[in-house]
Amino acid sequence: MNNTYYETLDKNFNAAVELVEKDLSQQELLDMLKNGNIVEKQLAALRIDSISSDNDAAVLINNLTGQDGKIREAVSMKINELMNNPKFLPFFENTQSYDIFLEAIIDINANICRNIISALSNLKSNATFCKYFTERLTQKTLSLLDIIKDFDFQDGKYKVNKEVFKLYWCLETVYEFSNSMEFSALKEIILTAKNIDEYTIREKAAKILTKDLDDSDLQNARLELKKDKNYYVRRY
C-alpha cells in the first residue's frame, strides 16, 4: 500500500478521535448524520442518545439504506436502541419507516438484519404496522421462495447465495411476526421453505413451526423436519 493510503487512514483516525472528544448537542449530531462524511455519520449515529420528533427519526431511517456499510450498521444499532425505549418508539411509527425497514431486514450485513428485526419486535402490538408490514413481508418472502425453489445449490454462484441470504432473514422476520400474518400465506411459506435443498432455509421453516400452529399439514411438516438429515434443522 502506498503512503497516500496511510496518510488517509491517519487523517480519518485523527478526525474520529477529535469528533469523539468534541462536545456536540443532539441537534448537531443529527445535522452531522445528515451531511457528514462516512466517519462523521458513523460516529454521529453512535453518539445520538435521544430524538424529539418524527423528523429526527427520519434522519436515522434515511441512513439505514443506500449508505456505506459502516453507517448502516451504526444507524441500525441506534434505531434498535431507541425503539426499545417507549419514549422514542412513536417517532418510528409511520409508513415511510416501515418501507425502509422492509429493505433493511435483508441487508447484506447480517448485524443490520438482526438489529432491525429486534427493533421491529417492539411494534408487535401496533395493529396498523403489523397489517401493513406483514402483507409486504409475505409478498417479498413468497417472491424469493418462487425464485429459489428451482435453484441448483451445487453451482455455488453468488446469485444463489445472495438470494438465499435475503430469504433467510425474511423467514427470521416471519418467525417474529407469524401471529400477525394471514394464515394461508404463512402455511404456503412454511410448506415451500421446508422443501428447499439449502438447509439454512429448512432450518428457518423448522423454527417457525415451533409456534405449534394448529394445522395437520404443518404438524406433519414439523415431524418431517425433525427427521431431517441436517442437525440444525432437526434440532427444532
Side-chain angles (χ1 to χ4, degrees), residues 7-193:
E7 288 172 2
T8 301
L9 196 63
D10 288 342
K11 183 178 179 181
N12 287 342
F13 177 78
N14 292 333
V17 170
E18 182 180 348
L19 179 57
V20 168
E21 295 177 344
K22 194 172 184 180
D23 186 20
L24 296 169
S25 69
Q26 294 299 300
Q27 188 56 56
E28 287 173 319
L29 291 170
L30 286 163
D31 289 341
M32 188 175 294
L33 186 54
K34 278 185 185 178
N35 305 309
N37 58 33
I38 291 175
V39 173
E40 290 170 338
K41 285 191 170 193
Q42 181 186 20
L43 292 175
L46 293 173
R47 287 190 59 186
I48 290 169
D49 57 27
S50 68
I51 54 175
S52 57
S53 68
D54 292 354
N55 288 336
D56 290 351
V59 175
L60 285 159
I61 290 290
N62 291 338
N63 280 279
L64 189 55
T65 58
Q67 299 289 332
D68 180 87
K70 297 182 183 69
I71 298 171
R72 300 197 316 276
E73 184 166 357
V75 166
S76 73
M77 289 172 60
K78 186 55 58 174
I79 288 174
N80 187 26
E81 177 186 318
L82 292 172
M83 288 182 68
N84 271 283
N85 187 328
K87 176 181 176 181
F88 303 124
L89 186 60
F91 298 133
F92 295 94
E93 296 180 282
N94 57 77
T95 300
Q96 181 183 358
S97 296
Y98 303 161
D99 290 338
I100 296 175
F101 286 147
L102 189 62
E103 293 305 311
I105 63 167
I106 54 171
D107 194 282
I108 194 65
N109 182 327
N111 289 331
I112 296 171
C113 304
R114 290 189 191 94
N115 287 336
I116 297 306
I117 293 171
S118 174
L120 293 179
S121 69
N122 295 287
L123 293 175
K124 287 181 179 179
S125 63
N126 182 327
T128 301
F129 163 78
C130 287
K131 184 177 188 303
Y132 183 92
F133 185 79
T134 58
E135 285 177 355
R136 285 152 184 78
L137 173 63
T138 296
Q139 293 168 4
K140 186 176 288 290
T141 305
L142 288 172
S143 177
L144 286 166
L145 279 167
D146 191 52
I147 295 169
I148 289 170
K149 66 183 181 182
D150 296 322
F151 275 170
D152 177 4
F153 287 94
Q154 301 303 313
D155 66 13
K157 290 181 180 178
Y158 174 72
K159 177 185 176 183
V160 173
N161 294 332
K162 182 179 179 182
E163 298 305 317
V164 168
F165 188 87
K166 291 179 180 179
L167 178 58
Y168 177 94
W169 288 106
C170 276
L171 291 172
E172 180 66 19
T173 313
V174 167
Y175 170 79
E176 289 295 330
F177 287 93
S178 59
N179 291 341
S180 300
M181 295 178 67
E182 203 275 322
F183 184 77
S184 63
L186 176 63
K187 181 175 178 177
E188 181 181 357
I189 287 170
I190 296 170
L191 294 181
T192 306

